[in-house]
Amino acid sequence: MQRHSGEDIIRMFTELAPYINDIVVEDIGISVIKDGVYTAYVPGKSFDLGLKSGELMKGQVSEQCIKTGSRVIRMISREQSAFGIPYIACAYPVKEGNSAIGCVITTQNITNQEKIHAVAGELAASSEEFTATMEELAAGAQQLTTISDELSKLGGELADTIRHTDEIVAFIRNISQQTNLLGLNAAIESARVGEAGRGFSVVAEEVRKLAAVSAESVKNINASLKKTQGSITVMNEKVMTIDKTAQNQATAIGEMAKTSQGLAEMAGQLSNVSENMLIGLP
C-alpha cells in the first residue's frame, strides 16, 4: 500500500535527484517527470542527454511508462541513440490512485558493457575456433601414433625376414664350404691317379672356383644384410621415439582441447552475462 501520495513521491524524487548519483556505484542520470514535464534532470558524470527542468517530456520510454503504468526498461544502442552513446533507460511510474501522473527515469551509459559484450563474443568465437584446431591437432597426433605403430610392425616384419634370409645365407655358406672341400678332395684324387685323372682335375678346379665365388657372394650378401639390419634397428629406434613423442603430444593436445572447451564455455557464459547486462536483466 502506497504510504505517500504521487505528488509527494515526485516532489521527494525531485529534491533527491542531485544526490542519487553520488550514493550509487553506477554512473546514472536521473529524470523526474510530472504531468508530462520534467521537474528535475541530473546528468550522469560521463554523459548528458541535454534535458532541462520545465521542458516537455521526450522519448518513448517515459510515454510508454506513464501510458501503461508499468516499469519500462529499454536498451538504446549506439546506432539508435541521438546522443552518440549507448545507454539503458529504466522508467518507473508514479501513481495517484490507479493513474500514473509521472515517472522517475534512470539512464545508464553502457559503453563499457557494450565493449565487454563485443570482447566476450570475440573471445567465444576465438575459443571455439581454437577448440576446433586443438581437436584437429589431436586427431593428427592420433593418426601419427597409428602410423608409428604400423611402421614399428613393418620394421619387425622386415627384421624377421632378414633373420630368415640370414639362415638361408648360412645354408648357402655351408654348401659353399662343402663344395670347396669336395673340389679339394677331387683335385687330390685326380693328382693321385695321374694322367688318367687330368680331365677330372679340370672339373675339380672349376668346382673349387665356383665354391670360392659362392663364398664371396655369401660374404657380400651377409655384409648387406648386416647393414640392412643396422638400418632397421635405427629405424625402429626412431619410430619408437616418434611414437612416444606422438603419444605425449596427443595427451597434451587432448588436455589443451579440454581446457579450450572450458574456456569456450566460460566465454559463452561471459557473453550471456554481458548480454544480460546490456538489456538490464539480473
Side-chain angles (χ1 to χ4, degrees):
M1 182 176 179
Q2 186 169 301
R3 292 166 46 186
H4 300 280
S5 68
E7 295 276 353
D8 291 337
I9 292 173
I10 288 178
R11 184 176 62 257
M12 286 188 288
F13 268 108
T14 299
E15 293 176 357
L16 292 173
Y19 307 102
I20 293 177
N21 205 348
D22 293 330
I23 60 176
V24 296
V25 175
E26 298 291 341
D27 181 18
I28 60 175
I30 306 294
S31 303
V32 183
I33 297 173
K34 178 179 179 295
D35 297 330
V37 176
Y38 289 101
T39 61
Y41 171 69
V42 178
K45 296 183 179 70
S46 61
F47 65 101
D48 187 349
L49 301 185
L51 302 174
K52 303 290 184 182
S53 296
E55 290 183 346
L56 295 177
M57 176 180 66
K58 299 177 183 178
Q60 296 179 356
V61 175
S62 55
E63 290 178 1
Q64 184 180 356
C65 176
I66 293 174
K67 183 178 179 179
T68 62
S70 302
R71 187 178 73 158
V72 176
I73 299 175
R74 181 173 298 176
M75 183 186 75
I76 310 299
S77 67
R78 188 180 301 274
E79 292 74 21
Q80 297 170 329
S81 174
F83 307 100
I85 59 170
Y87 64 94
I88 288 179
C90 177
Y92 182 82
V94 178
K95 296 181 179 180
E96 194 72 75
N98 293 326
S99 300
I101 63 172
C103 63
V104 178
I105 304 173
T106 61
T107 51
Q108 180 180 347
N109 185 350
I110 56 171
T111 298
N112 290 336
Q113 290 90 330
E114 189 179 62
K115 290 179 180 178
I116 292 173
H117 183 61
V119 170
E122 292 176 1
L123 178 60
S126 298
S127 296
E128 290 177 0
E129 184 177 349
F130 182 68
T131 299
T133 302
M134 287 296 100
E135 290 174 352
E136 290 179 3
L137 287 174
Q142 186 59 49
Q143 185 178 9
L144 180 59
T145 299
T146 301
I147 293 173
S148 296
D149 290 339
E150 293 175 353
L151 286 174
S152 182
K153 292 178 181 178
L154 178 60
E157 292 173 359
L158 286 173
D160 290 339
T161 300
I162 288 177
R163 278 193 293 271
H164 292 315
T165 304
D166 207 15
E167 292 173 0
I168 295 172
V169 169
F171 178 72
I172 295 174
R173 184 188 299 111
N174 185 52
I175 292 176
S176 174
Q177 292 172 349
Q178 294 296 326
T179 302
N180 184 57
L181 183 60
L182 179 62
L184 179 60
N185 290 335
I188 294 172
E189 287 299 321
S190 65
R192 188 173 62 81
V193 299
E195 188 65 27
R198 183 180 296 275
F200 189 64
S201 176
V202 174
V203 174
E205 183 64 24
E206 291 300 322
V207 170
R208 293 183 65 189
K209 288 181 180 179
L210 177 61
V213 171
S214 298
E216 185 65 24
S217 297
V218 167
K219 181 179 178 182
N220 292 335
I221 292 172
N222 192 53
S224 297
L225 288 176
K226 288 187 178 298
K227 185 176 180 180
T228 304
Q229 284 178 327
S231 299
I232 290 175
T233 300
V234 172
M235 184 190 75
N236 285 336
E237 291 175 354
K238 297 295 184 183
V239 168
M240 290 178 63
T241 301
I242 292 173
D243 184 57
K244 185 176 181 180
T245 302
Q247 290 179 357
N248 291 339
Q249 286 181 343
T251 301
I253 290 173
E255 293 299 323
M256 290 174 65
K258 291 180 182 178
T259 303
S260 176
Q261 184 63 40
L263 288 174
E265 292 176 0
M266 286 189 288
Q269 293 173 0
L270 177 60
S271 181
N272 291 334
V273 170
S274 64
E275 185 173 358
N276 290 338
M277 289 171 61
L278 286 175
I279 62 177
L281 296 179

